Amino acid sequence: MRKIRVLAINTSPRKGRNTEKLLDEVLAGCRSVGAADSGAAGGEARSEEDIKVEVKMIGVADAAPEDLVFCRGCWACAKTGKCACGDDFIKRLYDDMAAADVVIFGVPVYFYSVPAQCKVIMDRALAYMPAGSGKVVATALTCGSAGVLSALQTMESFYSANDFLDAGWVATYGKTDDKEKGKKVAYGLGRKAVRLAAIMGKAEDEAGAEGDDELLEDLRHTNHFAYGTHTF
C-alpha cells in the first residue's frame, strides 16, 4: 500500500470563501485516487493500485496575527540553518510540508499578485530550502478580475527555487460555487497530482532497489540553476 500525503495550504485570509471552496474541489480529486471508480469500461468498478490518500488542509486565516511572523531579512538561517523567527505558524507549516508528498496552494489574487499571507510563506522559505524536493505541487487560484498570470508567475518562481514538480494549476473568476467547469478542472488537477506523486514514488523505490543513485538524484531534482543562493 502506497500512502500519498496531501497538504493543502489556503493562503486566503477569508475562511470558508472562494479559495477554500476551490481547494475543496482539488482535494476531492485527490481523494478519488484509490477509491472505487464506476467509470471503467463495461461499468465495472476499478481502483488505483494500492494507493491510500491522506489529506490535511491548513489556512492562514487560522493563525493568530502574532503567530504569523514576517521575514526579517536577517539571513541568520543561511548561517545556522534555523529561522530566527522561532516556532510560529510558518515553521509548523513547513514541518507539515516536509511530511507531505503533494502540496496544493490555494491563492486568491490581491492587487494583481499573491496576498501578503502567501508571500510571507515564500519569504520565510530560505530556512527550509529546497522545501519541495521530490514533492508534487499544484495551484488553485481565485480572482475577481485581472492578475492571474502575474500571481501564477510568482508561484512558479517559488516552485522552481524550491525544487517542486509542478502538476499544473486551475483558476476561477468570481464565485466558485457556480463555476462548474472550474470545479471539474480542479477535481482533475487533484487526481493528476496524486497520480503523479504515486508514479514518482514508485520510480524512486525502483531506483533505490537497483542502487541507481543518479536516477534517484534526477527524480528528486528539478531546479538546475547554476548560480546564486537558489542552487542545490
Side-chain angles (χ1 to χ4, degrees):
M1 174 71 69
R2 180 174 300 281
K3 183 186 295 184
I4 303 295
R5 293 156 295 190
V6 179
L7 176 67
I9 303 172
N10 182 8
T11 68
S12 172
R14 306 182 75 196
K15 192 172 182 177
R17 303 299 291 269
N18 290 322
T19 303
E20 186 172 325
K21 291 177 180 179
L22 189 61
L23 273 176
D24 284 338
E25 299 297 331
V26 178
L27 293 181
C30 292
R31 293 187 181 97
S32 72
V33 181
D37 183 356
S38 60
E44 295 180 1
R46 66 174 177 83
S47 64
E48 301 291 333
E49 183 179 357
D50 296 329
I51 296 176
K52 179 182 180 181
V53 179
E54 292 184 356
V55 170
K56 179 177 182 178
M57 185 188 292
I58 56 178
V60 297
D62 295 321
E66 64 273 13
D67 198 34
L68 193 65
V69 183
F70 282 74
C71 179
R72 302 170 185 171
C74 64
W75 284 84
C77 58
K79 301 173 183 177
T80 67
K82 296 181 180 180
C83 181
C85 296
D87 188 7
D88 67 337
F89 175 83
I90 301 296
K91 167 63 167 57
R92 297 191 296 275
L93 181 151
Y94 275 102
D95 287 344
D96 286 338
M97 195 182 297
D101 303 295
V102 176
V103 182
I104 313 292
F105 277 89
V107 184
V109 176
Y110 281 14
F111 212 83
Y112 308 103
S113 191
V114 301
Q117 291 86 347
C118 182
K119 188 62 168 60
V120 69
I121 295 172
M122 300 179 189
D123 293 343
R124 291 275 301 278
L126 189 60
Y128 313 102
M129 292 177 75
S133 182
K135 303 180 190 302
V136 174
V137 73
T139 315
L141 293 139
T142 56
C143 161
S145 58
V148 164
L149 291 182
S150 55
L152 185 61
Q153 184 180 41
T154 299
M155 299 305 299
E156 295 286 353
S157 297
F158 173 72
Y159 299 155
S160 175
N162 279 278
D163 239 356
F164 283 99
L165 178 60
D166 192 2
W169 55 279
V170 59
T172 58
Y173 290 81
K175 293 183 178 180
T176 299
D177 289 337
D178 59 11
K179 301 300 184 295
E180 295 305 320
K181 183 177 180 180
K183 289 190 285 186
K184 182 178 179 181
V185 171
Y187 184 95
L189 178 61
R191 184 179 63 233
K192 174 187 174 183
V194 168
R195 284 175 168 167
L196 185 55
I199 290 169
M200 292 293 291
K202 182 178 180 181
E204 287 192 13
D205 289 347
E206 292 175 352
E210 295 170 5
D212 193 337
D213 293 336
E214 286 187 354
L215 180 55
L216 274 173
E217 182 180 357
D218 290 342
L219 289 169
R220 295 169 182 169
H221 187 79
T222 58
N223 176 358
H224 296 286
F225 291 152
Y227 57 89
T229 58
H230 295 161
T231 302
F232 298 98

